[in-house]
Amino acid sequence: MILTKVGDHRAFSHLYDRYAIRLKAYFYRMLWSDSSLADDFVHDLFSKIIEKPELFQEDKKFQPWLFRIASNMCKNAYRKKSFEIEYLNQLEKQGIELPVIDDKLDNEILADEIYKALEKLDEDRRSLFLLRYQQDIPIKELALLFELPEGTVKTRLFHIKKNLIGITEKTKNMINYGND
């Protein structure tokens, strides 16, 4: 660890090789037998070591210091899990159903993605879309406003919607994948 503190990457690699498997086993046992969570915690722990090697005191032994950090990370995970459970219990007591909350969050994520996509459009197309679907202005009036044939307005709106549908489908798939 002393060599790691002075920037020796080989020394860090040696520490990783020596302790990563043992730490994963420790995290796996401590964190609900979740293998991917254990991997994440190993990664986070070694990231902390790389980011702040100066926290290691040279008069201390490395292994106890390392496992003390791991233990503290587990304690923080327990506190977080305990808080989440308490929060969910409070919601249940208030009669709030989780699917409603999940749906609301999902809709907020979708709306955010749509607004991001709209921001990427040029000003005329963004304005055309918002005037049609937010302000309910008829296509005939939009054609007059933009000095375009009605067919062109319809075509542009079609392509904008097609693009947005693709974005929302990708987002829905990510949301559904995250909920599994």
Side-chain angles (χ1 to χ4, degrees):
M1 187 60 198
I2 293 168
L3 293 173
T4 299
K5 284 175 78 169
V6 295
D8 186 336
H9 296 291
R10 287 183 298 162
F12 177 79
S13 292
H14 177 73
L15 291 174
Y16 184 86
D17 293 341
R18 187 171 184 185
Y19 290 101
I21 293 172
R22 291 169 59 193
L23 284 166
K24 181 176 179 179
Y26 174 77
F27 284 131
Y28 180 82
R29 285 189 306 272
M30 297 296 290
L31 300 171
W32 310 285
S33 300
D34 185 332
S35 184
S36 70
L37 186 61
D39 285 334
D40 290 345
F41 271 62
V42 169
H43 173 78
D44 291 347
L45 188 144
F46 280 101
S47 293
K48 289 177 185 187
I49 290 173
I50 267 197
E51 290 170 4
K52 296 191 178 187
E54 68 276 1
L55 295 178
F56 176 71
Q57 297 171 356
E58 294 174 17
D59 61 330
K60 304 287 181 184
K61 291 191 176 201
F62 178 73
Q63 184 174 322
W65 177 76
L66 182 69
F67 279 91
R68 187 171 57 248
I69 293 171
S71 174
N72 288 337
M73 290 173 71
C74 289
K75 288 176 186 174
N76 289 339
Y78 297 152
R79 276 189 227 117
K80 181 180 177 188
K81 185 76 159 181
S82 173
F83 173 79
E84 288 172 355
I85 290 169
E86 180 60 31
Y87 178 69
L88 294 175
N89 288 339
Q90 289 294 328
L91 291 176
E92 276 185 38
K93 286 178 186 174
Q94 295 173 6
I96 299 173
E97 295 181 26
L98 289 180
V100 172
I101 294 170
D102 288 342
D103 289 345
K104 185 176 180 184
L105 288 174
D106 292 350
N107 289 336
E108 287 177 15
I109 291 168
L110 283 171
D112 187 47
E113 289 300 314
I114 290 171
Y115 287 124
K116 284 180 187 175
L118 286 173
E119 288 175 4
K120 292 178 183 176
L121 295 174
D122 64 75
E123 188 175 315
D124 284 343
R125 282 182 167 71
R126 182 173 53 242
S127 179
L128 179 68
F129 181 84
L130 293 173
L131 288 171
R132 176 69 183 121
Y133 296 106
Q134 201 174 50
Q135 304 300 323
D136 292 322
I137 295 179
I139 290 178
K140 191 174 262 187
E141 289 181 35
L142 290 171
L144 292 172
L145 182 67
F146 286 91
E147 300 177 336
L148 295 170
E150 286 181 37
T152 303
V153 171
K154 289 177 184 177
T155 301
R156 287 185 183 176
L157 289 170
F158 170 79
H159 287 292
I160 294 167
K161 286 191 300 184
K162 184 178 174 187
N163 184 30
L164 293 176
I165 287 170
I167 290 168
T168 56
E169 289 302 320
K170 286 180 192 174
T171 304
K172 282 181 187 177
N173 289 337
M174 289 187 317
I175 289 169
N176 290 334
Y177 178 76
N179 289 338
D180 291 343

